[in-house]
Amino acid sequence: MNYSWKLSKFDTKVLGYNVAKIIKIETTGGDHNILQNIHELNKSLKENNIKYATYRVNANNYPTIHALGKCGYILVDGLITLETVTDLGKHNRNKHIRIATKNDLPTLLKTVGEVFNATRYYHDPVIPKEKADNIYKEWVKNTLHGKFGDMVVVWEERKRILGFITLDKKGQIPLVGVAKTARGKGIGRELVESVLNKFENWGAKKIIVETQMTNIPALKLYQSCGFKIADSHLTFRWYN
């Protein structure tokens, strides 16, 4: 088959309609074949009652990028992938940093509402802001319950959670967030550096984090913690 996709159960549940993640679009055979493959893909999505689908493509794959635009796909995000190794030694433990528990969920959800406003969910005009907020609230909730990732680490001052970071033992940092009122104080960097040795203890050889291409402060933050840019992707959205 010249394409493949799967149902995104999480997004489907939160958004309230069938959402798909496109896994692959075959790009061999020239521009005409790419267009034909995308048309067949779109037909398959419609036949299976998919209302919304996303596809991540390498930022230098111009033939596919151009073809997606011709076939009704809209650019909603650009991502930079950064990587680092885990043998970075131990880092000082900050008194404000601790592992979150399920009891922290109400406070964490308030913080989540202040943090994320520049991702693909917020860039897409067909997704209401409250739905985008709910995606990240459910994401953090599921991580605390061990369904998404393995741990949430928080920065707490005077019983207020001002920042958090989620971890996946496989070597990924899915989410990093600092409340608007607490930015510029080094909390994000302290959180990232505090968890690097946890990955080493888990046996991960490499740590991966992603951020938006336009999020220059985050890019500088990760690079200051030893991360190096490894790749870049664009996210396109199809809507029925």
Side-chain angles (χ1 to χ4, degrees):
M1 187 176 290
N2 295 323
Y3 60 83
S4 63
W5 61 268
K6 66 178 182 179
L7 186 71
S8 176
K9 295 181 180 179
F10 175 74
D11 284 356
T12 295
K13 178 181 177 182
V14 178
L15 294 179
Y17 46 75
N18 289 339
V19 178
K21 179 180 180 181
I22 300 167
I23 308 300
K24 180 195 74 171
I25 298 174
E26 183 60 53
T27 60
T28 58
D31 294 350
H32 177 75
N33 279 8
I34 298 174
L35 285 169
Q36 183 62 35
N37 294 340
I38 297 175
H39 285 308
E40 292 176 3
L41 165 65
N42 292 353
K43 182 180 178 181
S44 173
L45 294 172
K46 291 178 181 178
E47 289 175 346
N48 286 275
N49 296 318
I50 299 298
K51 186 172 183 179
Y52 187 103
T54 59
Y55 182 54
R56 286 182 59 176
V57 57
N58 196 284
N60 63 10
N61 187 348
Y62 295 107
T64 301
I65 292 170
H66 297 158
L68 289 167
K70 293 178 181 178
C71 295
Y73 286 71
I74 294 175
L75 177 65
V76 290
D77 204 6
L79 289 174
I80 297 290
T81 302
L82 300 99
E83 299 176 352
T84 190
V85 293
T86 56
D87 57 344
L88 299 176
K90 295 182 179 179
H91 297 276
N92 295 329
R93 183 184 292 269
N94 190 294
K95 65 179 182 180
H96 297 296
I97 296 176
R98 64 173 176 81
I99 297 173
T101 69
K102 294 178 182 179
N103 293 332
D104 294 311
L105 183 58
T107 308
L108 265 173
L109 294 184
K110 292 181 181 178
T111 306
V112 169
E114 302 177 15
V115 170
F116 300 105
N117 55 16
T119 66
R120 68 177 177 88
Y121 297 105
Y122 293 96
H123 289 160
D124 196 329
V126 302
I127 298 180
K129 183 182 182 302
E130 59 270 21
K131 290 286 188 180
D133 288 341
N134 287 340
I135 285 172
Y136 288 101
K137 289 178 180 180
E138 286 295 316
W139 196 332
V140 171
K141 178 181 177 181
N142 285 339
T143 304
L144 272 178
H145 287 83
K147 297 178 181 179
F148 282 10
D150 299 285
M151 183 181 293
V152 181
V153 176
V154 299
W155 179 288
E156 184 183 48
E157 288 184 36
R158 299 175 182 178
K159 298 183 178 181
R160 287 188 61 211
I161 292 178
L162 301 180
F164 67 90
I165 181 170
T166 67
L167 313 180
D168 187 309
K169 288 181 179 180
K170 297 177 182 179
Q172 295 181 326
I173 300 177
L175 298 176
V176 181
V178 177
K180 290 182 180 179
T181 56
R183 292 175 186 172
K185 300 179 180 180
I187 292 176
R189 178 171 180 171
E190 290 275 356
L191 281 168
V192 172
E193 290 188 340
S194 74
V195 303
L196 294 180
N197 61 336
K198 292 187 183 298
F199 287 105
E200 190 171 9
N201 294 336
W202 285 332
K205 303 299 182 183
K206 182 170 62 177
I207 307 170
I208 298 173
V209 67
E210 293 179 333
T211 191
Q212 280 65 39
M213 291 179 176
T214 55
N215 195 341
I216 304 303
L219 285 169
K220 290 181 177 179
L221 161 65
Y222 298 132
Q223 289 174 314
S224 72
C225 294
F227 287 80
K228 297 184 183 299
I229 294 175
D231 212 343
S232 59
H233 291 84
L234 301 177
T235 303
F236 286 82
R237 176 268 286 170
W238 174 88
Y239 187 69
N240 186 13

